[in-house]
Amino acid sequence: MKYSLKAKLSFSYVMVALISILLISVLTNQFLEKQFREYVQQNQEQKNHTVAVSIRQQYLGEEKWNYAAVESIGINALENGLIIKVTDASGEVIWDAKIHNNGMCQRIIRQMSQNMNTHYPNLKGGYVEKPYPIIVDDKEVGLLNIGYYGPFYLTENDLAFINTLNKLNVAAGLLAMLFALLLGLVMAKRLSTPISRVIDAAQMISRGYFGGRISEKSSTQEICQLTESVNHMAQNLENQEILRKRLTADVAHELRTPLATLRSHLEAMIDGIWQADCDRLQSCHEEIMRITRMVGDLEMLARYDNENLTLNKTQFDLSGLAKQVVQNFESAYVKKGVTLNYSGGEEGIRADKDKMNQVLSNLLSNALKYTPAGGQVDVSVKGTLHTVEVIVKDNGTGIAEDDLPFIYERFYRADKSRTRLTGGSGIGLTITRSIVEAHKGKIEVGSKLNEGSEFRVILPRQADE
Ligand code: ADP
């Protein structure tokens, strides 16, 4: 069973609210009731004490009592739920509620038991009597017996008060639950709306529409990361799609030109317009060689893609190797009229020497291709504690900012109008990057159109085995 984020969040909020409210209700109820019982008990003591004081004041001295006042106090007490009995020093009854109105006394006790039993069935309360000796001038002149419902008794008013408290508790609970539900819905909406957008965008991407991006901002860190990742993924897929389309077009273009030349040459020879002499056959052969080279490049790329590049690592001086490659290129540079400089001291590295040779050759060959006569190319090798850096800097054509992200892609050429005579097949940098990354290194480029380019290859001295 799957539930939406909205339902889950709202449910969680309501559950949390419910549990907290239940806990708070139970705790406050317990606490308040306990406090209230103590208060009622103290109140009872206070009432008894007041009656005892009033009765003591009715002793007139020399064993004489104000009988009428004692009776009025007794009746008043009875109306308040206290059943009193006053006796003098000799035990003679002065006033007794039960003698005065036994029926009323019984009725009061019954009603009290009934009230308390319905509200507190576990209390085990009942009618209790407490004696209060009447002392005047350190002499006991009589005894007051107060009978009441113990250990405490809650009047109708008290019960109504407790009831109101309970109702308030329930009302607060319901309100809090409603609030929690609303909060849950709002929070869920805030969370689920951007997630829904991400889902929509991901679905569009899965259908092949890579152009859409999620622009909505969220204050939730994880959602921001999610939207950023999806946008990034869409961008990557869009780039790949552009490249895929371009790759097909490029391969077709690369093949069409030599094939067209071959075809026109051969047709001319078949029709007898041209003699099949050595020069013309040589020209046809060159075109076939060009196609063969291209197929070879494609095969090499496929190999680089399919298998992990196996590296045959040895310890050698990268600076020495760079110097050697620079020397190999010197004549070609001189021929084109481009100055080639080299700087750098000994830098030991553990790497695949042949592959490094290929990296350096590719960079130097590109620098030569894209630097016009009169230009300059500087090659340097620098080392830090853990890395060795090769820099190839030229002041040639440079690369437009739009092209920079794509130059490592196969068959990508910044100058699309360039004829195949001016350069290679567009896989030199693809291979260069594969080799560098297989060595756990990285290749960086800084370039400005018409100002020049700087390629930096950063390699760890001791690439992990
Ligand atoms: P190519 O065989 O076309 O040189 P690469 O993969 O070596 O292919 O390079 C890809 C593209 O990057 C080139 O077509 C060129 O547009 C650009 N590029 C590479 N090196 C340089 C450079 N030093 N200066 C200017 N552009 C360069």
Side-chain angles (χ1 to χ4, degrees), residues 366-367 369-370 394 397-399 407 412-415 418 424-430 453 455:
N366 277 353
K369 260 187 276 176
Y370 304 107
D394 65 61
T397 58
I399 305 164
I407 56 168
Y412 191 90
R413 283 170 177 169
D415 180 5
R418 197 191 67 203
S425 52
I427 65 164
L429 285 181
T430 316
S453 318
F455 283 85

Side-chain angles (χ1 to χ4, degrees), residues 297 362-371 392-394 396-400 403 406-416 418 422-432 445 447 452-455:
D297 284 348
N362 285 354
L363 293 179
L364 278 172
S365 143
N366 277 353
L368 177 62
K369 260 187 276 176
Y370 304 107
T371 307
V392 178
K393 187 174 186 304
D394 65 61
T397 58
I399 305 164
D403 289 316
F406 303 108
I407 56 168
Y408 301 107
E409 305 296 340
R410 61 214 53 196
F411 296 110
Y412 191 90
R413 283 170 177 169
D415 180 5
K416 275 142 241 115
R418 197 191 67 203
T422 50
S425 52
I427 65 164
L429 285 181
T430 316
I431 292 172
T432 304
V445 58
S447 188
S453 318
E454 182 179 290
F455 283 85

Side-chain angles (χ1 to χ4, degrees), residues 379-398:
V379 181
S380 57
V381 175
K382 288 183 204 160
T384 65
L385 186 61
H386 298 294
T387 59
V388 185
E389 204 175 314
V390 182
I391 303 165
V392 178
K393 187 174 186 304
D394 65 61
N395 59 358
T397 58

Side-chain angles (χ1 to χ4, degrees), residues 133-387:
I134 302 163
I135 312 236
V136 176
D137 298 334
D138 293 336
K139 200 174 145 217
E140 192 173 325
V141 296
L143 183 71
L144 164 69
N145 236 319
I146 304 183
Y148 58 95
Y149 191 92
F152 65 91
Y153 174 69
L154 298 180
T155 61
E156 293 296 328
N157 280 347
D158 298 337
L159 286 170
F161 174 71
I162 288 180
N163 236 345
T164 315
L165 263 187
N166 285 341
K167 275 185 193 152
L168 269 176
N169 249 343
V170 172
L174 286 175
L175 255 174
M177 257 165 67
L178 194 75
F179 184 67
L181 186 70
L182 282 176
L183 198 71
L185 284 173
V186 171
M187 287 301 288
K189 195 170 159 43
R190 288 186 66 176
L191 276 179
S192 65
T193 312
I195 290 180
S196 302
R197 294 267 150 76
V198 175
I199 294 170
D200 289 348
Q203 278 169 349
M204 289 296 279
I205 292 168
S206 73
R207 281 189 221 116
Y209 301 102
F210 305 127
R213 296 284 183 279
I214 309 155
S215 54
E216 190 150 308
K217 295 271 170 286
S218 166
S219 53
T220 313
Q221 199 187 6
E222 285 79 2
I223 290 181
C224 281
Q225 285 169 348
L226 182 66
T227 50
E228 267 168 32
S229 308
V230 171
N231 280 347
H232 200 233
M233 182 180 77
Q235 183 66 52
N236 272 344
L237 286 170
E238 196 179 2
N239 288 349
Q240 288 299 322
E241 180 70 0
I242 294 170
L243 281 170
R244 192 180 59 78
K245 285 182 184 157
R246 226 160 138 163
L247 175 69
T248 323
D250 281 354
V251 172
H253 176 78
E254 295 292 325
L255 287 171
R256 189 184 307 114
T257 328
L259 281 175
T261 317
L262 258 180
R263 189 180 149 192
S264 65
H265 280 23
L266 289 175
E267 278 174 1
M269 286 186 225
I270 292 165
D271 294 346
I273 302 168
W274 272 4
Q275 282 284 314
D277 61 22
C278 195
D279 280 353
R280 279 169 185 147
L281 285 174
Q282 181 70 35
S283 158
C284 288
H285 182 254
E286 267 172 29
E287 295 303 331
I288 289 174
M289 285 314 289
R290 203 181 295 282
I291 298 172
T292 313
R293 263 203 307 279
M294 214 193 127
V295 173
D297 284 348
L298 279 170
E299 267 174 359
M300 180 164 36
L301 260 185
R303 226 183 29 249
Y304 272 51
D305 278 347
N306 289 337
E307 53 185 64
N308 279 339
L309 211 54
T310 39
L311 299 176
N312 179 19
K313 284 187 196 163
T314 49
Q315 183 72 29
F316 64 93
D317 171 26
L318 188 63
S319 180
L321 177 72
K323 233 182 273 175
Q324 200 185 317
V325 178
V326 165
Q327 270 167 14
N328 295 345
F329 271 88
E330 242 156 22
S331 64
Y333 272 73
V334 170
K335 210 167 146 192
K336 193 175 175 186
V338 178
T339 318
L340 178 60
N341 301 315
Y342 175 78
S343 67
E346 197 179 317
E347 296 296 348
I349 192 169
R350 202 177 143 67
D352 186 318
K353 200 169 177 182
D354 285 346
K355 301 245 161 41
M356 280 301 135
N357 191 325
Q358 196 171 354
V359 166
L360 291 161
S361 302
N362 285 354
L363 293 179
L364 278 172
S365 143
N366 277 353
L368 177 62
K369 260 187 276 176
Y370 304 107
T371 307
Q376 182 179 324
V377 174
D378 298 307
V379 181
S380 57
V381 175
K382 288 183 204 160
T384 65
L385 186 61
H386 298 294
T387 59

